[in-house]
Amino acid sequence: MERITKEEERKLMLKYLTEKGNNVYPFLYEPLKWRHESWQELSPEQVWQEAIILSDKIRNVNVPKFEMPYIIEELKERTAGERNADFLIMLAAAYRLAPLTTTDDKVKKATAYTVAHLIEHPLYEVMKQRVSVCENDEDLQEYRVNVLEYQLEQADAKENNMESRLNEINNQVDIVLRMEPKSMLVFEVLLSRLNDKSGHIYDEPLERLRAASDAKVASETEPRRIGQVIARQNNLGDVSGLEGLFEKKELEKLLSSI
């Protein structure tokens, strides 16, 4: 695999840290940078670039049982000679696909193969801890909220068609459902203000957000269920390590049934 240049890395970093809807990359950046600087592995920008390609392939899988082993093997062959490249790319792709696993059964089954491969890798626990630390970093949380505020405003202003605007805002709410309680609350306030200003056309996504917030509060005293990724009783830390995608028993059952 040919590595991208430093200039390409710089351009991609700015793109990935600011692009609309990309709220995963900022939390993967530091762990991936650590691997790059300490172990001379692929840069965060190249890992994410490859993860986009891989996750798009996984989304288009029709028969996971037959296609996923081929896709994983193809990735290993293409990254041969680059230390841990296949693991890091699959890790990033699984994070990128996480929101879809709760709404798209085909993507969930396909992603299960990736997760099963990841949890056997010796770097799995290390990267899990590194990502978890980044997810709880206050500066990164503030950055994420600022990006979401900008995206919220852009979503409202970009589309003239009311249905398109509503769909766009609903997409933003889906992203926020994975965030920690503090950011969820901030986004709820931002959306409420925008809803008032826009004639209450966003009542439905706002109510969905509030209901999820209530569910989070109600569940705080209950044991965490690992398999809930998007549900609001999760915070970002629950997604780290990727067992947030599936409980172990659920993963085994899923793999045996397809």
Side-chain angles (χ1 to χ4, degrees), residues 98-125:
L100 296 178
T101 62
T102 60
T103 58
D104 190 320
D105 190 57
K106 186 174 66 174
V107 173
K108 179 178 180 178
K109 290 177 179 179
T111 306
Y113 280 95
T114 303
V115 175
H117 185 81
L118 288 169
I119 61 178
E120 295 178 353
H121 196 282
L123 265 183
Y124 170 77
E125 291 294 337

Side-chain angles (χ1 to χ4, degrees), residues 75-112:
L75 175 66
K76 289 182 178 181
E77 291 176 0
R78 194 158 59 82
T79 57
E82 286 286 357
R83 183 179 182 181
N84 294 317
D86 59 324
F87 168 80
L88 296 175
I89 292 168
M90 281 190 282
L91 181 84
Y95 272 103
R96 187 170 186 255
L97 289 169
L100 296 178
T101 62
T102 60
T103 58
D104 190 320
D105 190 57
K106 186 174 66 174
V107 173
K108 179 178 180 178
K109 290 177 179 179
T111 306

Side-chain angles (χ1 to χ4, degrees), residues 65-175:
K65 183 175 183 178
F66 299 115
E67 295 175 67
M68 282 307 302
Y70 174 78
I71 289 175
I72 292 175
E73 188 58 34
E74 182 184 52
L75 175 66
K76 289 182 178 181
E77 291 176 0
R78 194 158 59 82
T79 57
E82 286 286 357
R83 183 179 182 181
N84 294 317
D86 59 324
F87 168 80
L88 296 175
I89 292 168
M90 281 190 282
L91 181 84
Y95 272 103
R96 187 170 186 255
L97 289 169
L100 296 178
T101 62
T102 60
T103 58
D104 190 320
D105 190 57
K106 186 174 66 174
V107 173
K108 179 178 180 178
K109 290 177 179 179
T111 306
Y113 280 95
T114 303
V115 175
H117 185 81
L118 288 169
I119 61 178
E120 295 178 353
H121 196 282
L123 265 183
Y124 170 77
E125 291 294 337
V126 176
M127 293 300 287
K128 168 185 172 180
Q129 180 60 32
R130 289 263 174 175
V131 175
S132 178
V133 169
C134 288
E135 288 169 343
N136 290 288
D137 184 282
E138 291 186 3
D139 289 338
L140 281 174
Q141 299 291 3
E142 182 178 357
Y143 163 81
R144 183 170 183 160
V145 170
N146 290 339
V147 169
L148 280 174
E149 181 177 9
Y150 170 77
Q151 292 173 357
L152 189 63
E153 293 172 351
Q154 291 298 304
D156 178 64
K158 184 178 179 182
E159 302 287 351
N160 292 323
N161 181 279
M162 183 180 296
E163 183 178 354
S164 297
R165 291 164 66 190
L166 185 58
N167 287 338
E168 192 67 30
I169 296 299
N170 269 309
N171 289 337
Q172 294 297 322
V173 170
D174 288 339
I175 293 170

